[in-house]
Amino acid sequence: MTEAAGQRVSSGLEGVYIAESTICKVDGQQGRLYYRGYPIDALSKNSDFEEVAYLLLYGKLPNRQELDGIRKQMAEARDLPRGVISIITEMSGKADPMDILRTAASSLSAYDPEVSDQSPEANLRKSIRIISRVSSIVATIGRINEGGSYVAPDKSMGHEENFLYMLNGKKPTERQLEIMKDMFIIHAEHSSNASTFGTMVAGSTLADIYSAITAGISVLKGPLHGGADEAALRMMKEIGSPNNTESYIEGALAGKKKIMGFGHRVYKTYDPRARIIKEYLVNLQPDASDEVKRYTEIALRAEKLMVDKLGQSHGIWPNVDFFAGPVYVAAGIPVELFTPIFAASRSAGWCAHMLEYWKNNKLFRPLEVYSGDIDLEYVPIENRK
Ligand code: SDX
């Protein structure tokens, strides 16, 4: 918070509450996270993405019939229109996967007959289609980037299994499936983070939900937000050998560089999601590849150094993005798909917040303290220096 012209300015809206919500509680002091009141640990152990999407959208855990219903709706929506596949094909190799995702997801609106229907019922149906199709787009981006062609979805599979099937063109291993279930749940929602806020700002003008989600994808891309998972793994690749870890981190800190995957605007203690992902990563070591074992050792040594230096003293701890990379590598996910997968999962949280905010919509229009000139005289160009 700073002062300017007698006004309190909150840089980055730090400490500012923008709405009331019942979707997600982030306890930054205790390091706890709840989706609609359920602790993230319980959900990551017992649930799956379709059930979590239902929980976020409807505000309660589904009964058997309700769960079967959303599974069916999401499975029905998985197939991508040919025009969307063409966009992905055309951009593949020419653009960042997040740019391809942003463009392809935006184009979905051309294939939704309800795009302009702003009724809550239509917005809910569109949300479920979006949550399903963004995952199909991400899988197709990965598939085509690797030189493959579009794999039509398998409607008999669950969401995460179909994602991996569309990505790799074959059924996933148990391990791959386990990892994707965990990561889709853990990344689904996180209160008014930057990309959710971006979604809400777009929707607060009563732009349609496709416009709002496109805004969310655009915001998530940045390395200070969703792009940190890719940046953190690229750092681990750059460190190369575990014995280089401490000197690399010390050098970066000395150069005032930020270590991706650490620090958080809200968590001033260990991010509970980082704890879950780290535990998973450590547990999969026995049958992990040498590459994953190397990344894990680097990550654990970097964590120890960062926590010793900046944990208690500065409130800078590992966040959701730090250990995610090595776990994704263990599932055979290419690094350029890490943030697109984050977006595929968070599309559930974006839609849930948009539907909730529209119930009492208010255009977002913050103020700036103007500190420039006023009433200057207009000088014709011939008289300017
Ligand atoms: C996500 O908000 C959410 O909920 C987001 C998210 C979600 O699920 O949606 O949790 C997902 O985005 C997690 C965060 C991923 N980003 C990163 O890992 C990037 C690295 N982290 C930093 O850029 C930073 O910690 C932020 C952006 C996450 C939070 O920063 P703030 O709250 O704006 O604080 P700041 O950048 O002003 O930092 C305060 C101080 C600074 O030092 P001084 O200039 O005061 O001396 O802490 C230092 C910073 O330099 N600092 C770090 C650091 N993070 C903060 N120093 C080294 N490495 C870091 N990672």
Side-chain angles (χ1 to χ4, degrees), residues 351-367:
C351 289
H353 279 275
M354 203 63 258
L355 297 182
E356 181 184 66
Y357 191 72
W358 272 331
K359 289 177 188 159
N360 296 297
N361 189 64
K362 180 82 176 167
L363 175 73
F364 280 106
R365 204 300 184 190
L367 299 172

Side-chain angles (χ1 to χ4, degrees), residues 190 193 224-225 258-259 261-262 264-265 273 319 346:
H190 212 245
N193 59 86
L224 294 189
H225 186 19
K258 291 192 172 158
I259 309 302
F262 285 89
H264 199 277
R265 176 63 61 78
R273 302 165 298 176
N319 61 48
R346 188 56 58 89

Side-chain angles (χ1 to χ4, degrees), residues 101-117:
L101 172 58
R102 184 191 65 220
T103 311
S106 177
S107 75
L108 288 172
S109 63
Y111 305 93
D112 192 322
E114 294 191 301
V115 61
S116 306
D117 182 342

Side-chain angles (χ1 to χ4, degrees), residues 38-353:
Y38 294 92
I40 189 63
D41 311 73
L43 292 171
S44 80
K45 275 198 186 73
N46 303 299
S47 192
D48 65 24
F49 185 60
E50 286 126 325
E51 183 175 79
V52 163
Y54 186 99
L55 174 65
L56 293 172
L57 291 171
Y58 290 88
K60 72 176 192 72
L61 283 176
N63 61 31
R64 170 61 58 196
Q65 189 190 352
E66 289 159 339
L67 182 57
D68 291 347
I70 195 167
R71 287 193 201 287
K72 187 168 179 301
Q73 280 176 280
M74 287 177 69
E76 287 305 319
R78 279 174 189 158
D79 208 359
L80 293 179
R82 303 227 62 75
V84 176
I85 299 167
S86 307
I87 287 172
I88 296 169
T89 308
E90 176 55 35
M91 291 180 77
S92 181
K94 301 187 185 78
D96 182 298
M98 280 300 282
D99 298 348
I100 303 175
L101 172 58
R102 184 191 65 220
T103 311
S106 177
S107 75
L108 288 172
S109 63
Y111 305 93
D112 192 322
E114 294 191 301
V115 61
S116 306
D117 182 342
Q118 294 280 53
S119 67
E121 299 73 19
N123 281 330
L124 180 55
R125 288 191 294 271
K126 285 183 277 185
S127 294
I128 292 171
R129 288 196 282 271
I130 286 169
I131 292 166
S132 177
R133 286 183 163 178
V134 170
S135 285
S136 297
I137 289 173
V138 172
T140 303
I141 290 170
R143 176 90 182 143
I144 291 175
N145 272 5
E146 295 293 318
S149 50
Y150 179 66
V151 172
D154 181 327
K155 294 182 183 172
S156 68
M157 292 180 175
H159 183 82
E160 302 89 341
E161 186 180 14
N162 175 72
F163 171 80
L164 289 164
Y165 172 68
M166 289 181 78
L167 172 62
N168 299 317
K170 60 186 179 191
K171 279 175 75 70
T173 64
E174 266 316 300
R175 166 76 75 200
Q176 286 176 317
L177 191 51
E178 207 178 86
I179 287 173
M180 291 320 290
K181 276 186 188 291
D182 222 9
M183 299 305 255
F184 262 98
I185 290 170
I186 280 173
H187 287 86
E189 160 60 18
H190 212 245
S191 183
S192 55
N193 59 86
S195 54
T196 298
F197 179 55
T199 301
M200 293 165 72
V201 169
S204 78
T205 70
L206 298 186
D208 64 273
I209 195 147
Y210 286 97
S211 303
I213 295 303
T214 304
I217 295 170
S218 303
V219 174
L220 187 76
K221 177 181 178 184
L224 294 189
H225 186 19
D229 52 12
E230 176 179 338
L233 190 86
R234 291 194 188 282
M235 176 186 75
M236 293 173 201
K237 282 174 181 269
E238 209 172 302
I239 290 172
S241 152
N243 288 336
N244 298 336
T245 305
E246 289 75 11
S247 55
Y248 181 100
I249 300 288
E250 294 279 8
L253 293 174
K256 283 285 182 203
K257 274 197 197 148
K258 291 192 172 158
I259 309 302
M260 298 292 122
F262 285 89
H264 199 277
R265 176 63 61 78
V266 181
Y267 289 122
K268 297 310 170 192
T269 184
Y270 217 103
D271 183 332
R273 302 165 298 176
R275 205 183 289 287
I276 294 171
I277 298 173
K278 175 188 173 183
E279 185 187 340
Y280 191 89
L281 178 61
V282 169
N283 291 341
L284 67 76
Q285 288 309 296
D287 50 12
S289 67
D290 290 345
E291 183 187 22
V292 171
K293 284 179 178 164
R294 191 172 68 250
Y295 290 145
T296 304
E297 192 179 344
I298 290 170
L300 293 173
R301 287 173 69 159
E303 176 202 27
K304 180 170 179 349
L305 176 60
M306 284 293 287
V307 168
D308 288 350
K309 282 179 81 77
L310 298 171
Q312 291 301 349
S313 58
H314 293 71
I316 295 169
W317 300 80
N319 61 48
V320 66
D321 292 307
F322 186 61
F323 294 105
V327 172
Y328 278 132
V329 171
I333 302 289
V335 61
E336 63 273 8
L337 274 196
F338 292 0
T339 309
I341 290 171
F342 194 152
S345 169
R346 188 56 58 89
S347 62
W350 293 333
C351 289
H353 279 275

